Amino acid sequence: MASQQNGFSIDKSSEWAELSRLSSAIDETSIRALFEADPDRAAAMAIEAAGFYVDYSKHLVTGEVLDQLVALADRADVVGQREAMFDGAVLNTTEGRQVLHTALRRPAAEAVIVDGEDVVPEVHRVLDQMAVFAHQVRSGSWLGSTGKPITSIVNIGIGGSDLGPAMAYHALRPFSQRNLEFRFVSNIDPTALSEALIGLDPETTMFIVVSKTFGTVETLTNAATARAWLAAALGQPAVAKHFVAVSTNKQRVAEFGIDTDNMFGFWDWVGGRYSVGSAVGLSLMLAIGNDGFRDFLAGMHDMDQHFRTAPLAQNLPVVLGLLSIWYTNFGNAQTHAVLPYSDHLARFPAYLQQLDMESNGKGVDKGGRTVSYATGPVVWGEPATNGQHAFYQLIHQGTHRIPADFIGFMRPTGETSDPLWSHHLRNHHDLLMANFFAQTEALAFGQSHDDPQRQFTGDRPTTTILADQLTPRTLGALIALYEHKVFTMGAIWGINSFDQFGVELGKVLATAIGQEITDADRPLAHDQSTNVLLDRYRNQRL
Ligand code: F6P
């Protein structure tokens, strides 16, 4: 097995050298010529799996390049690393942890042994605990401290404890119980919480405080202020009926003052950005119900199964990861756009930013050596067609190569029995999808014109990701698709995709600066620029 600990570096492999050689032709390759040379290209370069039809024929790749990319994956032992992840090996070596988010969606009959113990029964015990609570809130039988049912739910968390549930809730709103209102607070900016509380009645509000560590300053500060807001209206004892916690840290939950009977646990082997299928998704389960949440997990499991069993060349997450490696390491691309043709997926690019960039934003390999090749690209995007009227210009005619994922659906969600509304819904959706197909065609094939300003060069690579409808099951599979894509890329680069030390320094400095701000007599001992800025803030903040 290729191992960074043994001094192996993927860029020294013969497969890497061969890809470098092939890449010198990338600027001479034209997508049009690739299609002309192969009448079966579109059919050959498509994969159907876990409810998706994915076309990757509009890429600047030949069959030879794809074969060599698969050989690179073999060389990096992606299969061995994948099996190690599913089997509970300590892949997160810097933190000494297993990487087992896939265990969260295993059927109850299966087993995953961690430190000699099967974790699947515990996973299902927590899911059942969540289901009981969700049923109580949704049915109105969970009563607040004054005897009223809960109508508003506020999720307080940040990073993986916010982005997953917030994204999935927005994505699946058509499947949610509409008499319940959901709000998400993450930012420590005081306006985030104060805005979220506007119009809420403490008697009918439930706070879900989500933090893996229960030590994140933003979340604890927001939760403490929310608790004060509630206690001011209903008294301190009311907290027991209006606050629940999701965490791995029982002691800190108790110290914060939340009854640990109202705590939903998860485990160290679930990374924050991989945690939406755990109790971190409690707000989602409250919205879409236990059955909907189980469908969501089933979709993730569908993709897990595909990732685990399909040959690499027909393996969706692997192929998407390899294409991204092609452009990142051999095609001079620094960014990757994710363009959902669904307004419900408005938060999906932000969710993917954490998933991808916190995972693969690493410059040192598992052996501790600085890597000499590019790793995770900048991930960005917006739902279309809004994006078309904003930044697509640069993708079409700018100087950067920006591979893009187009995500679309055959049918809109929210179909109704009202024929008039159904007609409008279908009309909008067809127009949306007309744009979806038009954009990838224009990006790939361009248009020649006598006037260079009006010329579209084409050869702008895209992947088309199509599913029947945005349902809980589809969303689960889509999330797992990207999780495993990110895994594949990290495995090839030989980096640890599961730690995030890069966010620590800023947190440490913020703690020290926080004390300097509130104690104006403290001497400032930073760099010149920071001292000047802090001094200005200290003098003008009140
Ligand atoms: O600071 C980054 C991070 O650790 C993320 O990885 C994580 O999702 C987020 O903070 C929130 O952490 P927690 O769930 O422990 O509050």
Side-chain angles (χ1 to χ4, degrees):
M1 173 175 162
S3 153
Q4 283 63 37
Q5 276 94 342
N6 297 335
F8 173 78
S9 183
I10 193 69
D11 62 330
K12 303 295 178 297
S13 67
S14 57
E15 292 80 3
W16 189 280
E18 184 57 13
L19 284 163
S20 289
R21 191 185 68 75
L22 292 170
S23 71
S24 58
I26 193 170
D27 289 329
E28 282 95 65
T29 312
S30 110
I31 293 178
R32 185 180 296 279
L34 290 169
F35 274 96
E36 278 166 6
D38 180 4
D40 294 328
R41 184 176 169 91
M45 292 191 178
I47 296 175
E48 270 191 274
F52 287 93
Y53 179 87
V54 175
D55 175 310
Y56 60 98
S57 63
K58 293 191 183 84
H59 277 284
L60 288 159
V61 289
T62 59
E64 193 183 7
V65 167
L66 286 169
D67 289 348
Q68 205 54 46
L69 285 166
V70 170
L72 186 76
D74 276 330
R75 178 61 178 230
D77 194 21
V78 167
V79 169
Q81 296 192 60
R82 178 191 71 194
E83 288 312 292
M85 173 175 74
F86 277 93
D87 288 344
V90 178
L91 280 195
N92 180 357
T93 45
T94 51
E95 296 180 305
R97 290 178 183 165
Q98 295 91 351
V99 175
L100 270 174
H101 44 277
T102 54
L104 300 171
R105 45 256 196 172
R106 288 283 188 104
E110 294 185 10
V112 179
I113 308 298
V114 177
D115 297 332
E117 250 181 62
D118 181 7
V119 299
V120 175
E122 183 60 6
V123 164
H124 282 267
R125 185 193 66 74
V126 176
L127 283 171
D128 293 343
Q129 182 200 359
M130 291 162 64
V132 169
F133 176 67
H135 177 72
Q136 288 172 332
V137 172
R138 286 164 62 86
S139 65
S141 63
W142 179 288
L143 301 178
S145 64
T146 59
K148 293 187 180 171
I150 298 300
T151 55
S152 306
I153 291 124
V154 182
N155 190 95
I156 299 179
I158 198 163
S161 298
D162 165 74
L163 287 163
M167 176 277 289
Y169 167 69
H170 287 293
L172 298 175
R173 269 186 94 164
F175 299 86
S176 69
Q177 186 168 310
R178 297 286 192 170
N179 68 343
L180 293 177
E181 184 189 12
F182 290 82
R183 299 184 183 187
F184 293 82
V185 178
S186 52
N187 204 322
I188 200 167
D189 180 339
T191 57
L193 182 64
S194 59
E195 284 291 334
L197 294 179
I198 287 175
L200 293 189
D201 177 355
E203 290 183 85
T204 55
T205 300
M206 169 70 73
F207 293 93
I208 305 179
V209 185
V210 186
S211 175
K212 180 175 170 180
T213 54
F214 233 75
T216 303
V217 68
E218 290 91 337
T219 300
L220 294 188
T221 306
N222 277 328
T225 307
R227 186 182 54 192
W229 175 84
L230 186 98
L234 305 177
Q236 194 66 27
V239 170
K241 288 286 175 195
H242 295 266
F243 271 75
V244 299
V246 175
S247 186
T248 59
N249 196 323
K250 204 168 184 171
Q251 193 186 328
R252 285 189 182 161
V253 168
E255 282 164 10
F256 181 84
I258 294 179
D259 185 348
T260 52
D261 283 349
N262 295 334
M263 169 181 162
F264 301 84
F266 64 114
W267 308 272
D268 268 355
W269 40 261
V270 183
R273 52 192 175 273
Y274 297 87
S275 65
V276 63
S278 73
V280 168
L282 183 61
S283 53
L284 177 65
M285 190 193 270
L286 290 180
I288 65 172
N290 179 44
D291 290 348
F293 196 78
R294 302 293 172 129
D295 281 349
F296 175 68
L297 295 179
M300 290 182 144
H301 185 64
D302 293 342
M303 190 57 77
D304 293 344
Q305 290 292 92
H306 167 75
F307 179 52
R308 208 171 179 183
T309 54
L312 296 188
Q314 279 92 49
N315 194 307
L316 207 44
V318 171
V319 169
L320 295 197
L322 290 175
L323 288 167
S324 200
I325 293 253
W326 172 242
Y327 296 112
T328 303
N329 296 116
F330 305 99
N332 200 25
Q334 278 100 32
T335 82
H336 186 100
V338 180
L339 309 169
Y341 277 63
S342 159
D343 219 53
H344 286 301
L345 287 177
R347 295 295 286 154
F348 193 63
Y351 171 78
L352 279 191
Q353 284 178 326
Q354 189 198 12
L355 177 65
D356 201 322
M357 292 161 76
E358 197 168 71
S359 294
N360 285 342
K362 311 286 163 65
V364 169
D365 72 14
K366 283 188 191 164
R369 291 167 314 164
T370 303
V371 295
S372 48
Y373 41 86
T375 59
V378 175
V379 176
W380 60 283
E382 266 290 307
T385 55
N386 302 16
Q388 287 176 209
H389 295 276
F391 54 78
Y392 274 39
Q393 165 64 35
L394 186 144
I395 306 181
H396 278 286
Q397 287 190 308
T399 53
H400 300 281
R401 173 171 287 137
I402 302 174
D405 294 349
F406 280 69
I407 303 169
F409 301 93
M410 302 290 182
R411 293 189 294 130
T413 42
E415 278 171 314
T416 82
S417 50
D418 173 352
L420 185 65
W421 184 239
S422 281
H423 164 77
H424 289 306
L425 205 65
R426 170 55 58 195
N427 183 33
H428 279 240
H429 191 73
D430 286 344
L431 284 171
L432 175 73
M433 293 307 285
N435 279 278
F436 176 83
F437 296 115
Q439 288 295 328
T440 59
E441 184 179 354
L443 286 163
F445 301 105
Q447 192 181 56
S448 52
H449 201 287
D450 295 341
D451 177 357
Q453 312 288 354
R454 290 176 167 77
Q455 162 118 339
F456 287 73
T457 57
D459 292 328
R460 317 255 161 173
T462 60
T463 302
T464 300
I465 299 174
L466 262 178
D468 177 50
Q469 197 181 33
L470 182 58
T471 62
R473 195 164 187 140
T474 319
L475 182 68
L478 186 67
I479 291 170
L481 168 62
Y482 280 96
E483 286 177 348
H484 298 320
K485 176 196 168 189
V486 166
F487 175 87
T488 300
M489 296 172 75
I492 290 174
W493 286 324
I495 55 178
N496 181 353
S497 301
F498 301 101
D499 60 14
Q500 57 283 321
F501 293 113
V503 295
E504 293 304 325
L505 176 61
K507 287 188 195 174
V508 172
L509 290 178
T511 306
I513 290 177
Q515 289 160 357
E516 288 162 358
I517 284 175
T518 47
D519 179 358
D521 295 331
R522 275 194 197 222
L524 298 172
H526 301 271
D527 61 278
Q528 206 187 110
S529 157
T530 310
N531 282 346
V532 170
L533 292 166
L534 278 174
D535 194 46
R536 214 177 157 81
Y537 182 74
R538 278 211 300 209
N539 290 327
Q540 296 184 19
R541 76 188 182 97
L542 293 174

